[in-house]
Amino acid sequence: GGIITQTPKFLIGQEGQKLTLKCQQNFNHDTMYWYRQDSGKGLRLIYYSITENDLQKGDLSEGYDASREKKSSFSLTVTSAQKNEMAVFLCASSPNQDTQYFGPGTRLLVL
Amino acid sequence: SQWGEENLQALSIQEGEDVTMNCSYKTYTTVVQWYRQKSGKGPAQLILIRSNEREKRSGRLRATLDTSSQSSSLSITGTLATDTAVYFCAIYQGGRALIFGTGTTVSVSP
């Protein structure tokens, strides 16, 4: 079996700060995803990547950048953190359309 | 039912009871996936159902899919306290983008 690791687990930032979240998978999956989960709402897709160096925008890509420099890792950058923002960012990978495997999430709080 | 931007649904039940949650979607699909997310964890897939199956069972789980009404349901029989979680349905919307519903929170009391 494989595992998805997300770092950091908790991230506290300041308004206007650029913040980077990292995700690593050892499944050797081609496709990776970043989702945002707000309290009281479901998962919303920010970016996904079907292979190394590929990036596809999701519905929530504004305010974020992503980077897939190698197959096993997918990074997400919050370009300018918004005051009082609080959300969980979930990374996932998939071998095909039949399933996705998720990491434990990074919890973001912006002061 | 879940989908769209409405608030999460919440159900509170006692251990041993059965529970059914529903999902309706606007984009035509022949496959629906159901995921469970426990507190502090990422979602994990429970069951996948295809249109040619109409009903699929896995242990205490039963999923249905009705493509004519564009809806799916997930039932859990004989719930346990460990079934406490948020349950999401998910479908593919073009390409490889899996779109999740808003989720149903199920709280099972011992």
Side-chain angles (χ1 to χ4, degrees):
Chain A
I3 191 169
I4 294 181
T5 304
Q6 291 189 238
T7 54
K9 288 186 178 179
F10 298 95
L11 183 55
I12 299 176
Q14 301 291 326
E15 184 181 15
Q17 196 175 3
K18 181 184 286 189
L19 303 167
T20 298
L21 292 68
K22 295 186 182 295
C23 176
Q24 296 268 351
Q25 54 102 355
N26 63 359
F27 288 103
N28 200 35
H29 291 162
D30 286 323
T31 308
M32 296 185 74
Y33 308 80
W34 275 108
Y35 294 89
R36 175 183 168 124
Q37 185 172 32
D38 292 274
S39 180
K41 298 197 175 192
L43 281 68
R44 292 184 288 174
L45 183 66
I46 306 172
Y47 268 98
Y48 68 102
S49 167
I50 63 174
T51 189
E52 187 176 321
N53 293 320
D54 173 74
L55 292 175
Q56 307 285 337
K57 291 183 178 181
D59 291 340
L60 206 64
S61 62
E62 188 170 337
Y64 301 94
D65 287 331
S67 173
R68 182 91 183 273
E69 293 174 350
K70 51 183 181 178
K71 188 174 183 179
S72 63
S73 67
F74 194 25
S75 298
L76 181 73
T77 298
V78 180
T79 55
S80 180
Q82 301 297 306
K83 188 175 176 64
N84 297 324
E85 182 175 7
M86 187 166 67
V88 177
F89 291 85
L90 292 162
C91 176
S93 70
S94 68
N96 51 49
Q97 288 198 2
D98 284 354
T99 192
Q100 288 189 10
Y101 297 88
F102 283 83
T106 291
R107 283 144 185 83
L108 171 69
L109 175 62
V110 181
L111 302 175
Chain B
S1 298
Q2 60 175 285
W3 211 260
E5 292 296 318
E6 63 269 23
N7 289 335
L8 294 176
Q9 279 197 305
L11 303 170
S12 294
I13 56 176
Q14 298 286 323
E15 223 175 16
E17 291 181 5
D18 299 343
V19 65
T20 296
M21 57 208 89
N22 299 298
C23 166
S24 58
Y25 47 89
K26 295 180 180 178
T27 304
Y28 178 77
T29 187
T30 57
V31 179
V32 174
Q33 303 180 32
W34 284 91
Y35 286 76
R36 177 176 66 189
Q37 184 178 26
K38 296 196 172 187
S39 181
K41 308 283 187 184
Q45 192 187 65
L46 292 176
I47 197 166
L48 178 151
I49 182 167
R50 304 183 192 277
S51 57
N52 62 354
E53 297 174 301
R54 289 191 60 85
E55 174 183 302
K56 188 169 184 178
R57 293 177 186 267
S58 176
R60 295 182 294 109
L61 304 174
R62 173 179 170 264
T64 67
L65 176 58
D66 184 346
T67 54
S68 63
S69 64
Q70 296 190 175
S71 64
S72 177
S73 71
L74 178 70
S75 300
I76 308 174
T77 56
T79 55
L80 304 170
T82 53
D83 292 324
T84 294
V86 181
Y87 293 80
F88 296 97
C89 63
I91 65 170
Y92 269 94
Q93 191 174 74
R96 298 188 184 221
L98 191 64
I99 305 301
F100 284 76
T102 50
T104 299
T105 299
V106 175
S107 299
V108 184
S109 302

